[in-house]
Amino acid sequence: MLRQYELIERVKEYDPDADEAMLNRAYVYTVQKHGSQLRASGDPYFSHPVEVAGLMTDLKLDQDSIITALLHDTVEDTLATIEDIESNFGKDVARLVDGVTKLSKIEQMPENERAAENLRKFLLAMSEDIRVLLVKLGDRLHNMRTLHHIKNPEKRRRIARETMDIYAPLAERIGMYEYMREMQALAFEQIEPDAYKTITDRLTQIREQDGGQVDAIALAIKQALAEAGLKVEVSGREKHPYSIWHKMAERHVSFEQVSDIFAFRIITDDIADCYRALGVLHTVWQFIPGRFKDYISTPKNNGYRSLHTSLIYENSMRVEVQIRTRDMHQRNEFGLAAHWAYKQHDTPDGSVGWLRDLIEIVDASHDAEELLEHTRMAIYQDRIFAFTPKGALFQLPKGATPVDFAFAVHTDLGAQTVGAKINGKHMPLRTVLGNGDVVEIIKGKEAEPQMSWLGFVVTGKARASIRRAVRQKERAEVAELGKKLFDDIADRVPAKIGKKAVREALKRLEMEEDEDLFYAIGAAEISDMDVMEALVPGCTAEFEDEEPDWSKREKAISIRGLTAGVGFKLAECCHPVPGDRIVGTRKQGEGVEVHTIDCLTLASGIDNDWIDLQWGKRSHGAVGRLRVTLYDRPGTLAEMAGIFAKNHVNVTSLNQTQLDHPFTSYEIDLEVQDLAHLTRMLSALRASDAVAQAERI
């Protein structure tokens, strides 16, 4: 454990102006507050915050970050309060400690809820000050280093899984690769102990048998570059066990088939030397096509810059080589933390593009499951590069489509997307983008996100934005339906309902706006009698305990202007189409379901609120279902398909239900305009010699 004077000396080495008295006071404060508390290892508890503070000095963080590291567990695990922290160490430190404390507290919540809330708190805290994340990552790294002291194996695996799923990816996203690699290695040992042991044993065997091969390859690379007049530093290492295991799982290969186990790093003086070194390597040794990546000209979102290539060394051995400058190396290993160190006395603000996207995902996500899904999409996937027609570069996950690209450019552009050109050609919106594609988004002012897009988008930002837009549309349409129902309810109370009565009703129902009430009515979250009682207290007494029958309305409610699947859904038991006499059933949490008036489901006595409905004047388009029996002979199926084509209907589903020679029966779903269109379709089928029977079901 770091002694008090050692910690102070570390800080003063890179920040001579640091307040030594304040640092000493924070050290003593954490020792006193944690007192006789012990860790699972048996060490004094205060050794943990002191070691975390030491990690922060390695990153050369400012004085407030070091103090926050020293105090980060005092509010959670001792009698200290945020007010105590503020009075002793100032508002900035109190705010940072509070941010880290909130992140720690939620680790006691149920797993999914905890993980989602963890991400939410992380993102919001980072949006205010990135140092909250840096301290928390230091806290988690030290906890992982001492994880083996925890006796409960299930608890060790839970902490390791959380580290692998959340903390390591976040460390990667801010470019802290040293933290990421160590977290992954320590977590991998707990999550997959057998795989970890197998890989480490094989690496030990290779190490014993290679006779210093890594050093020999590094020396050969250095000599080849020296002969070209380049002064560089070259280092080699085995890849980490988790990196090897991940490659084995990704490529579905055995350990023996993972060829590039060795990785080498070349450090140059400047960028020009990076490219000169690359040219020398590709001249002396054969490089592997498709394995070269230039992250200097096109850095990763987290600021990572380097040249990556893979070479075939002697005896067909594959080796991976990274080439970068000293400045790039420092920033690559410690990411944003190194960036803040270079900024000297500027305050970290966390304003990076990917973080803004994640904050937008927090706002758009509806619940814990969505938040986890969207954020994991945003931080886990491998990347590709795509360009706008003007040359702006965007990084996207592999598998991204033009819709993902549009939302990456701007949320509004994504929402207005109607088409796309890829490399100058019109292409479907579900087309998967490739590296280097130029994407032009075609937009329309009246366009809006489609639910069907969720079937192919892969970015968390796109998925969250689409779901939010669909929910907003659904709420608006359900509220519109609820408003029509409200008008009908208001006609049945023994008083004329004006704005004053509605305002008073909202107060009684503890709602803020008219739309809240209309939505609650449309979604069946409130009964008609409750609405009547709120409008005119005492008016429902005559009904005693019986709910009045509102299905017998003088005027049916029109569903014109609402979108099937959003404001209402067409029942699959009877497949109503425009022109059918219809009725709606309303059940809480399920919205309005539209049935034909003679639907057998309605006759079964289902306990739902009924609404008398009518199609709007311009309603058109629905799916009708037919049962068609054909004569079992060559050409009859083709003849039926020809009838569908002549009548301009689209077959969405065709299932053979019975084969009973000489007949074959099918159930067929058809997209039709209205009842008249469906009736003409039936008549055409019945007139055909190929059809034995045709009926609607």
Side-chain angles (χ1 to χ4, degrees):
M1 181 182 74
L2 280 175
R3 296 171 184 250
Q4 186 172 344
Y5 75 89
E6 291 174 327
L7 179 65
I8 306 304
E9 285 179 356
R10 282 197 185 189
V11 178
K12 298 288 278 186
E13 279 180 11
Y14 65 84
D15 186 5
D17 297 327
D19 188 336
E20 187 173 338
M22 180 77 80
L23 290 166
N24 279 319
R25 193 158 72 247
Y27 191 104
V28 172
Y29 188 90
T30 194
V31 171
Q32 290 178 338
K33 289 298 179 182
H34 288 294
S36 59
Q37 291 176 348
L38 298 177
R39 288 174 61 78
S41 62
D43 294 332
Y45 191 91
F46 60 77
S47 64
H48 167 64
V50 169
E51 290 300 323
V52 175
L55 289 172
M56 297 301 98
T57 63
D58 292 338
L59 301 177
K60 296 182 171 57
L61 295 191
D62 65 314
Q63 173 183 302
D64 284 353
S65 300
I66 307 302
I67 295 173
T68 299
L70 288 169
L71 306 178
H72 77 270
D73 276 338
T74 53
V75 175
E76 174 68 15
D77 296 326
T78 76
L79 297 177
T81 65
I82 290 297
E83 289 71 27
D84 294 336
I85 302 296
E86 183 173 339
S87 63
N88 283 284
F89 303 100
K91 287 185 177 181
D92 286 344
V93 170
R95 176 175 51 80
L96 292 172
V97 171
D98 187 41
V100 180
T101 300
K102 286 177 180 176
L103 298 177
S104 299
K105 281 183 177 179
I106 54 183
E107 290 174 7
Q108 306 304 317
M109 297 166 67
E111 186 171 352
N112 260 14
E113 186 180 343
R114 183 189 68 247
E117 193 61 23
N118 221 336
L119 285 169
R120 189 186 302 275
K121 294 291 186 183
F122 253 135
L123 303 178
L124 295 178
M126 282 192 295
S127 68
E128 296 177 2
D129 199 320
I130 199 71
R131 291 174 295 180
V132 170
L133 173 60
L134 300 180
V135 173
K136 187 59 183 176
L137 289 178
D139 171 45
R140 177 49 63 111
L141 179 59
H142 185 256
N143 281 333
M144 289 302 296
R145 287 175 176 175
T146 57
L147 185 62
H148 59 281
H149 290 296
I150 295 177
K151 294 181 179 179
N152 185 337
E154 188 56 43
K155 184 176 181 181
R156 290 201 305 270
R157 281 193 292 271
R158 178 185 64 78
I159 294 172
R161 173 53 61 193
E162 187 175 65
T163 299
M164 191 72 85
D165 283 351
I166 298 174
Y167 292 90
L170 280 169
E172 188 271 337
R173 286 306 303 226
I174 62 171
M176 296 182 68
Y177 285 93
E178 278 292 318
Y179 274 45
M180 178 202 74
R181 283 191 286 264
E182 187 173 354
M183 285 183 186
Q184 287 176 338
L186 293 167
F188 177 51
E189 184 178 2
Q190 297 295 332
I191 297 169
E192 299 284 351
D194 293 339
Y196 178 84
K197 185 177 185 306
T198 300
I199 293 173
T200 51
D201 287 348
R202 291 289 289 114
L203 289 173
T204 301
Q205 287 180 351
I206 292 172
R207 204 176 302 121
E208 292 171 350
Q209 296 170 4
D210 72 0
Q213 191 174 34
V214 172
D215 292 338
I217 296 174
L219 181 60
I221 291 174
K222 189 169 185 178
Q223 287 177 340
L225 295 176
E227 290 173 6
L230 290 167
K231 294 180 65 175
V232 299
E233 297 174 14
V234 182
S235 60
R237 61 172 175 82
E238 300 162 346
K239 289 195 172 179
H240 293 283
Y242 173 74
S243 176
I244 295 172
W245 181 82
H246 182 69
K247 235 167 217 186
M248 290 167 60
E250 187 179 53
R251 299 178 186 174
H252 305 288
V253 297
S254 65
F255 181 92
E256 287 70 24
Q257 292 172 296
V258 178
S259 51
D260 48 349
I261 291 173
F262 300 116
F264 296 86
R265 184 171 293 145
I266 299 172
I267 307 296
T268 69
D269 290 329
D270 54 43
I271 292 177
D273 283 350
C274 290
Y275 288 99
R276 288 179 61 200
L278 178 70
V280 172
L281 294 180
H282 284 186
T283 302
V284 176
W285 291 284
Q286 180 183 349
F287 91 99
I288 302 172
R291 300 297 302 275
F292 168 65
K293 295 177 182 176
D294 186 346
Y295 293 120
I296 292 180
S297 64
T298 53
K300 291 185 179 182
N301 278 359
N302 57 21
Y304 179 91
R305 302 180 74 199
S306 184
L307 298 176
H308 288 196
T309 189
S310 290
L311 309 173
I312 298 179
Y313 194 67
E314 298 173 1
N315 302 321
S316 299
M317 177 185 291
R318 296 186 178 197
V319 296
E320 183 180 292
V321 182
Q322 301 170 356
I323 311 170
R324 60 186 66 163
T325 66
R326 287 183 179 80
D327 178 59
M328 289 176 194
H329 179 62
Q330 176 68 14
R331 293 173 182 243
N332 288 351
E333 295 304 289
F334 298 104
L336 282 179
H339 174 64
W340 302 135
Y342 279 95
K343 287 176 73 174
Q344 296 180 352
H345 300 294
D346 290 351
T347 302
D349 57 14
S351 58
V352 286
W354 70 271
L355 179 55
R356 287 195 297 271
D357 285 349
L358 290 180
I359 296 301
E360 189 170 332
I361 286 172
V362 169
D363 293 336
S365 296
H366 182 59
D367 53 30
E369 290 295 334
E370 274 192 20
L371 179 62
L372 282 173
E373 176 192 352
H374 299 158
T375 48
R376 282 173 175 162
M377 282 182 168
I379 65 179
Y380 288 172
Q381 296 156 312
D382 292 335
R383 321 302 281 179
I384 63 161
F385 301 95
F387 298 86
T388 67
K390 293 184 178 180
L393 172 68
F394 287 88
Q395 294 186 40
L396 296 163
K398 285 183 179 178
T401 65
V403 175
D404 295 296
F405 181 87
F407 277 105
V409 175
H410 197 282
T411 304
D412 290 343
L413 179 62
Q416 295 176 339
T417 297
V418 294
K421 288 183 180 179
I422 302 176
N423 301 323
K425 293 183 179 180
H426 284 281
M427 298 294 288
L429 289 178
R430 61 172 58 245
T431 303
V432 174
L433 299 178
N435 244 330
D437 281 346
V438 177
V439 185
E440 179 183 351
I441 299 299
I442 302 167
K443 64 179 184 178
K445 292 183 179 179
E446 303 300 322
E448 56 189 19
Q450 302 299 308
M451 177 73 82
S452 60
W453 292 354
L454 292 174
F456 56 79
V457 295
V458 300
T459 60
K461 182 178 180 181
R463 190 168 288 270
S465 299
I466 293 165
R467 282 177 169 163
R468 177 171 58 180
V470 170
R471 277 197 298 270
Q472 289 174 342
K473 183 177 181 181
E474 178 182 14
R475 182 176 179 83
E477 293 200 354
V478 171
E480 177 64 24
L481 188 62
K483 185 177 185 304
K484 296 173 181 178
L485 291 169
F486 173 81
D487 292 340
D488 190 78
I489 293 170
D491 288 341
R492 295 175 180 271
V493 298
K496 186 175 181 180
I497 301 302
K499 292 182 179 179
K500 180 180 178 182
V502 174
R503 283 198 302 270
E504 294 300 318
L506 290 174
K507 290 179 183 178
R508 296 185 184 105
L509 295 170
E510 298 181 348
M511 297 180 180
E512 295 184 2
E513 299 179 358
D514 295 3
E515 187 175 333
D516 297 331
L517 175 58
F518 299 152
Y519 178 81
I521 294 171
E525 293 178 354
I526 186 172
S527 71
D528 295 351
M529 283 188 71
D530 287 341
V531 177
M532 291 178 65
E533 188 66 22
L535 290 169
V536 182
C539 72
T540 61
E542 61 183 281
F543 301 114
E544 297 179 351
D545 295 328
E546 294 185 7
E547 188 83 13
D549 181 10
W550 301 136
S551 62
K552 298 177 181 178
R553 295 178 168 89
E554 294 180 3
K555 184 179 180 182
I557 293 175
S558 170
I559 58 174
R560 179 180 58 190
L562 304 185
T563 306
V566 179
F568 65 91
K569 63 178 181 179
L570 300 175
E572 295 192 2
C573 49
C574 54
H575 290 275
V577 298
D580 283 326
R581 178 75 175 86
I582 53 174
V583 65
T585 60
R586 189 170 49 133
K587 192 173 183 180
Q588 185 173 349
E590 297 182 7
V592 173
E593 188 173 62
V594 180
H595 297 259
T596 60
I597 194 67
D598 55 356
C599 177
L600 295 178
T601 302
L602 299 178
S604 66
I606 189 169
D607 186 22
N608 285 342
D609 183 20
W610 285 30
I611 309 169
D612 193 15
L613 298 176
Q614 68 177 10
W615 299 101
K617 292 180 180 178
R618 287 176 290 177
S619 294
H620 61 86
V623 175
R625 177 168 293 178
L626 305 181
R627 181 183 292 116
V628 181
T629 302
L630 299 179
Y631 290 105
D632 187 14
R633 58 177 183 250
T636 54
L637 190 59
E639 187 170 338
M640 179 175 68
I643 294 171
F644 293 153
K646 286 180 182 178
N647 285 272
H648 307 291
V649 298
N650 183 40
V651 178
T652 61
S653 173
L654 186 147
N655 295 308
Q656 182 179 321
T657 59
Q658 188 175 0
L659 177 58
D660 186 12
H661 188 74
F663 303 106
T664 305
S665 296
Y666 298 91
E667 283 190 2
I668 307 167
D669 288 348
L670 304 169
E671 288 183 347
V672 296
Q673 293 297 311
D674 50 29
L675 181 60
H677 190 193
L678 183 60
T679 302
R680 290 196 302 272
M681 185 72 258
L682 272 171
S683 298
L685 288 169
R686 289 166 179 164
S688 171
D689 290 338
V691 178
Q693 187 177 20
E695 59 184 345
R696 182 180 176 188
I697 57 174

